[in-house]
Amino acid sequence: MKQETLLSISERAGVSITTVSRVLNGKAEKYRISRKTVELVRREAEKCNYKPNIAAQSLRTKRTQTIGLVVPSIENPFFANIASIIIQKAKQAGYTVVLTDAMENEANEQDGVNSLLARNVDGIIISPSGNDPSYLEQINDLKLPVVLIDRFFYNTTLPYVVTDNYRGAVDAVQCLIDNGHSKIACIQGVPHSTPAKERCRGYRDAMTRAGFTSEIDAVGNDFSIQNGYVETRLLLTRHSPPTAIFAMSNTILLGAIKAVSESGLKIPEDISIISFDDNTYLDFLSPPITRIVQPLDEIGTIAIKILLQSIGDGNRSDAKIVLPASLKVRNSIKPVNRSPMNGYGR
Amino acid sequence: MKQETLLSISERAGVSITTVSRVLNGKAEKYRISRKTVELVRREAEKCNYKPNIAAQSLRTKRTQTIGLVVPSIENPFFANIASIIIQKAKQAGYTVVLTDAMENEANEQDGVNSLLARNVDGIIISPSGNDPSYLEQINDLKLPVVLIDRFFYNTTLPYVVTDNYRGAVDAVQCLIDNGHSKIACIQGVPHSTPAKERCRGYRDAMTRAGFTSEIDAVGNDFSIQNGYVETRLLLTRHSPPTAIFAMSNTILLGAIKAVSESGLKIPEDISIISFDDNTYLDFLSPPITRIVQPLDEIGTIAIKILLQSIGDGNRSDAKIVLPASLKVRNSIKPVNRSPMNGYGR
DNA sequence: TGTTTTTGCGCAATCGTTTGTGCAAATATA
DNA sequence: TATATTTGCACAAACGATTGCGCAAAAACA
């Protein structure tokens, strides 16, 4: 099972290395290799199950048929799901994925990206952990195409594919409002991340538009269970606690649920909740959680498409793609009569 | 930001490529490069942030500082968690991970492995989707080290690091038995996989030892939510349904919970459940689920260690490592009095 | 000063591909 | 038959790194 090379094949076929290479790369026509030789070479190559040495190939061509994927944390099901989709799509296109986990840390991320560069990946799909796009922009400008997913930057030249977090948040909050809630708290994630910013903006705008300006109440500072828990406990001990919570992620949601239950309250009877991001288990919580669902599949598919396109034609894309989220209604929201204090009650 | 090479550095430093290479590889001593030259070269290399071209390196040395990781499904949190650990440990050792998702399909898996081979990875960590070890054994014998995790093979020469699924299952079932249950059903996963086999064996042995031989009742055939759901519905419609269920995985558990709840029953009041595999959200289900926890961290750490060792010394390991699982008690099991029919009642 | 030893470094081959160019042999044309 | 064209393929350089070997200059020794 020793390594087969162009040389070994060429010897057995009695032709030159060059010819073998050309045949196997589908350039037989271009270089006018005869039908007979083509078949001879093909047969030999198949017989020994020849696989080109990618290192040698890439040394010559500067192509590796590899793309780098950088996520903040592969343990996060959101990113695990997206990774799964990207790995699959990449494979269909003949690419392999090198996965790097930044562990929500910008230094790690840069390490990882450097390692990808050293490996001559053909392009990078990244959901950045930090908030400085410049080093990525440099790479995109000077070296190889970069596409952002999920977390993007304002005013960046980098192409991105993200969910319409703003509208998703508006929809979430509007759903609570439609159910009669006005004291709606929002527990947010890492404040500098664009998804958090956008969702927060959506929350504020929806509240404002409904005339609940004075009720605006965004707390919290990261995407952890802990954060969801702590903030919820604090919210619940106020003299006038919210009647509904908009949790910005699954993790925050889990913390919130724990806090609610420890406080002896029930969802949705005592407090309503809506969350962001889908996950099967949310249907198995008690009650099942109403949530905003991101179009993961589309994000992955489009990101790959943009990247491969750029790799193919050498141009940089400036696509800024924002995809709609959708509402999945379950049982975590209780309709209430609006308090007369807001002037809406009957 | 164009690619720096040994050549460009050597020119600026006024020495040969050879010397630069030797300095940067720490072979200055061996080749008696003077202190002064070493420092000169080092400075130049750092100044331009030189990163060796891995393709060129690997073409020469046959080493890529890359390991391949193959999992049945990265969407499965169990594997996402393990991947996270392995990526991290590999990085600490200076290795990068290429991740391949077999999507629970043996053909995909072989494709993936082939692609890893073409990339000259230095070793492979794999949780196999199929049940034929021979092609992996061949690779391990003739090409590069392979280490199995989670799913292993009986009678294989391949080294593996797995959880003691047998004992874990025994503990799970014993826990139910200790709580007075005897009509205990087991819903299993992919029957040919070793974890499923071992857990099933544990179930049977525990039941037998307790004298409940006639109650042995293992159903189901894959690790899907669907399977958990269907089998549970069937179980619940029997004239004498089980009082407890041993679910072999989180996914099966979720299906089971759904079926129970749709049947108008409550956990644990009407039926007790214990599951396999840990996950934060299990504490947020209602009730929180008692489960058997696998030592993911240890599995990842040990697997990497074995692999790197093999890569380092060129020998194949024959380590067969079986790590203990642990019980995490929550609220999904109700203690009952044993039915007199079993001769244990009071 | 002449010889031996040590020090310090470079030459050139090599890994497995790709590709521009060139050159016979075969075929077509005159 | 002589020339022009086409066909079919090979030569050799290049990608960027590693490494066995060799050789000149400096140092040590006589």
Side-chain angles (χ1 to χ4, degrees):
Chain A
M1 212 198 219
K2 69 175 295 297
Q3 181 68 7
E4 292 285 349
T5 69
L6 290 186
L7 177 63
S8 64
I9 295 179
S10 74
E11 280 169 350
R12 264 176 290 133
V15 298
S16 76
I17 293 184
T18 306
T19 302
V20 179
S21 168
R22 286 177 172 147
V23 169
L24 266 28
N25 283 310
K27 301 195 175 164
E29 294 249 334
K30 183 175 165 197
Y31 288 99
R32 296 183 304 222
I33 313 289
S34 71
R35 189 170 277 290
K36 212 171 49 181
T37 309
V38 168
E39 273 166 19
L40 173 64
V41 170
R42 282 244 167 80
R43 224 171 316 123
E44 280 299 335
E46 271 167 27
K47 210 187 307 172
C48 69
N49 188 30
Y50 170 76
K51 299 274 179 230
N53 179 322
I54 302 212
Q57 250 178 352
S58 104
L59 185 56
R60 237 340 276 240
T61 62
K62 307 288 172 203
R63 289 279 183 92
T64 51
Q65 295 293 110
T66 304
I67 68 177
L69 174 60
V70 185
V71 298
S73 159
I74 190 66
E75 285 187 333
N76 183 328
F78 176 82
F79 292 114
N81 290 342
I82 264 210
S84 171
I85 290 161
I86 287 180
I87 289 174
Q88 186 190 332
K89 301 283 176 187
K91 183 177 178 176
Q92 283 169 15
Y95 282 78
T96 298
V97 172
V98 176
L99 180 61
T100 295
D101 188 334
M103 292 178 285
E104 293 283 6
N105 171 316
E106 202 165 350
N108 272 337
E109 177 185 303
Q110 295 207 13
D111 271 13
V113 170
N114 279 332
S115 143
L116 294 177
L117 294 180
R119 288 189 149 62
N120 293 313
V121 295
D122 296 339
I124 294 180
I125 296 183
I126 178 170
S127 182
S129 297
N131 52 357
D132 177 15
S134 60
Y135 88 103
L136 292 172
E137 286 172 349
Q138 259 188 43
I139 293 174
N140 189 52
D141 290 345
L142 303 175
K143 292 201 144 168
L144 41 84
V146 175
V147 176
L148 303 176
I149 54 175
D150 183 48
R151 303 186 182 176
F152 67 108
F153 302 109
Y154 300 115
N155 292 327
T156 184
T157 58
L158 296 168
Y160 54 73
V161 186
V162 300
T163 301
D164 190 340
N165 286 298
Y166 173 75
R167 187 129 286 289
V170 167
D171 290 349
V173 175
Q174 192 59 48
C175 176
L176 293 170
I177 292 173
D178 290 346
N179 277 280
H181 293 273
S182 60
K183 288 189 70 64
I184 302 171
C186 162
I187 306 180
Q188 63 165 320
V190 183
H192 74 245
S193 74
T194 32
K197 278 185 189 158
E198 289 292 290
R199 291 174 201 173
C200 232
R201 192 164 66 84
Y203 162 73
R204 287 169 195 283
D205 282 7
M207 293 294 277
T208 304
R209 208 174 51 198
F212 302 152
T213 319
S214 62
E215 306 282 8
I216 289 176
D217 189 8
V219 297
N221 49 27
D222 74 36
F223 283 111
S224 67
I225 295 185
Q226 169 93 348
N227 180 44
Y229 175 77
V230 170
E231 295 300 343
T232 306
R233 301 258 3 182
L234 289 175
L235 286 172
L236 294 179
T237 52
R238 298 215 182 140
H239 18 281
S240 164
T243 65
I245 291 178
F246 167 36
M248 261 196 200
S249 75
N250 274 202
T251 38
I252 291 173
L253 169 76
L254 288 180
I257 290 177
K258 182 166 180 165
V260 167
S261 122
E262 283 184 13
S263 304
L265 301 177
K266 287 270 183 204
I267 303 169
E269 290 79 359
D270 303 312
I271 187 162
S272 295
I273 287 199
I274 191 167
S275 178
F276 222 97
D277 292 347
D278 198 13
N279 221 308
T280 319
Y281 73 82
L282 293 176
D283 280 341
F284 298 89
L285 295 175
S286 174
I289 304 296
T290 295
R291 60 219 188 239
I292 300 292
V293 179
Q294 300 197 49
L296 290 197
D297 216 284
E298 286 81 354
I299 293 179
T301 309
I302 297 179
I304 279 277
K305 193 165 266 177
I306 293 178
L307 191 71
L308 294 187
Q309 169 100 17
S310 270
I311 291 174
D313 65 17
N315 296 321
R316 293 303 181 259
S317 163
D318 59 350
K320 319 275 191 221
I321 298 188
V322 180
L323 300 170
S326 56
L327 179 65
K328 210 170 203 174
V329 176
R330 292 296 183 268
N331 282 313
S332 60
I333 300 179
K334 182 181 123 190
V336 296
N337 289 327
R338 228 162 241 137
S339 130
M341 306 213 34
N342 287 306
Y344 283 92
R346 64 181 164 96
Chain B
M1 210 197 219
K2 68 173 293 300
Q3 181 68 7
E4 292 285 348
T5 68
L6 289 186
L7 178 63
S8 64
I9 294 179
S10 73
E11 281 169 350
R12 264 176 289 132
V15 298
S16 76
I17 292 183
T18 306
T19 302
V20 179
S21 168
R22 284 172 174 154
V23 169
L24 267 30
N25 283 309
K27 302 193 174 165
E29 294 248 336
K30 182 176 165 197
Y31 288 98
R32 295 181 307 220
I33 313 289
S34 70
R35 189 170 278 291
K36 215 171 46 181
T37 309
V38 168
E39 272 166 20
L40 173 64
V41 170
R42 282 247 167 78
R43 225 171 317 121
E44 280 300 334
E46 271 167 28
K47 211 189 304 173
C48 69
N49 188 30
Y50 169 76
K51 299 271 180 235
N53 179 321
I54 302 212
Q57 247 177 357
S58 102
L59 185 57
R60 238 338 278 244
T61 62
K62 307 288 173 202
R63 286 280 183 90
T64 52
Q65 296 294 109
T66 304
I67 68 177
L69 174 60
V70 185
V71 298
S73 160
I74 190 67
E75 285 187 332
N76 183 328
F78 176 82
F79 292 113
N81 289 342
I82 261 209
S84 171
I85 290 162
I86 287 179
I87 289 174
Q88 187 190 332
K89 300 285 177 188
K91 183 177 178 177
Q92 283 170 14
Y95 282 78
T96 298
V97 172
V98 175
L99 181 61
T100 295
D101 188 334
M103 293 177 285
E104 293 282 6
N105 171 317
E106 201 165 351
N108 271 337
E109 177 185 304
Q110 295 207 11
D111 272 11
V113 169
N114 279 332
S115 143
L116 294 176
L117 293 181
R119 288 190 149 63
N120 292 313
V121 295
D122 296 338
I124 295 180
I125 296 182
I126 179 171
S127 182
S129 297
N131 53 356
D132 176 17
S134 60
Y135 89 103
L136 292 172
E137 286 172 349
Q138 257 188 44
I139 293 173
N140 188 53
D141 290 345
L142 303 175
K143 292 200 143 170
L144 41 84
V146 175
V147 177
L148 303 176
I149 54 175
D150 184 48
R151 304 186 183 177
F152 67 107
F153 302 110
Y154 300 115
N155 290 330
T156 183
T157 59
L158 296 167
Y160 55 74
V161 186
V162 300
T163 301
D164 190 340
N165 286 296
Y166 172 75
R167 187 130 285 291
V170 167
D171 290 349
V173 175
Q174 191 60 48
C175 177
L176 293 170
I177 292 174
D178 291 346
N179 277 281
H181 294 272
S182 59
K183 287 189 71 62
I184 302 170
C186 164
I187 306 181
Q188 64 163 322
V190 183
H192 74 246
S193 74
T194 32
K197 278 186 190 160
E198 289 292 290
R199 290 174 201 173
C200 232
R201 193 163 66 84
Y203 163 73
R204 288 169 195 281
D205 282 8
M207 292 294 278
T208 304
R209 208 174 51 199
F212 303 153
T213 319
S214 62
E215 305 281 8
I216 289 176
D217 189 9
V219 298
N221 48 28
D222 74 36
F223 283 111
S224 68
I225 295 185
Q226 169 91 349
N227 180 45
Y229 175 77
V230 170
E231 295 299 343
T232 305
R233 301 254 11 177
L234 289 175
L235 286 173
L236 295 180
T237 51
R238 300 219 182 135
H239 18 284
S240 164
T243 65
I245 291 178
F246 168 36
M248 261 196 200
S249 76
N250 275 201
T251 39
I252 291 173
L253 170 75
L254 288 180
I257 291 177
K258 182 166 181 164
V260 167
S261 123
E262 283 184 13
S263 305
L265 302 177
K266 287 270 182 203
I267 304 169
E269 291 79 0
D270 302 312
I271 187 162
S272 294
I273 287 200
I274 191 167
S275 178
F276 222 97
D277 291 347
D278 198 12
N279 222 309
T280 319
Y281 73 83
L282 293 176
D283 280 340
F284 298 90
L285 294 175
S286 177
I289 304 295
T290 295
R291 61 225 189 233
I292 299 293
V293 178
Q294 299 197 49
L296 291 197
D297 217 283
E298 286 81 354
I299 292 180
T301 309
I302 297 178
I304 280 276
K305 193 164 266 178
I306 292 178
L307 191 71
L308 294 187
Q309 168 100 18
S310 270
I311 292 174
D313 64 18
N315 296 322
R316 295 301 182 259
S317 164
D318 59 350
K320 319 277 190 218
I321 297 187
V322 180
L323 301 169
S326 56
L327 179 66
K328 210 171 204 173
V329 176
R330 292 298 182 266
N331 282 313
S332 59
I333 300 180
K334 183 180 120 187
V336 295
N337 289 328
R338 228 162 241 137
S339 129
M341 305 211 35
N342 288 307
Y344 284 91
R346 64 180 166 99

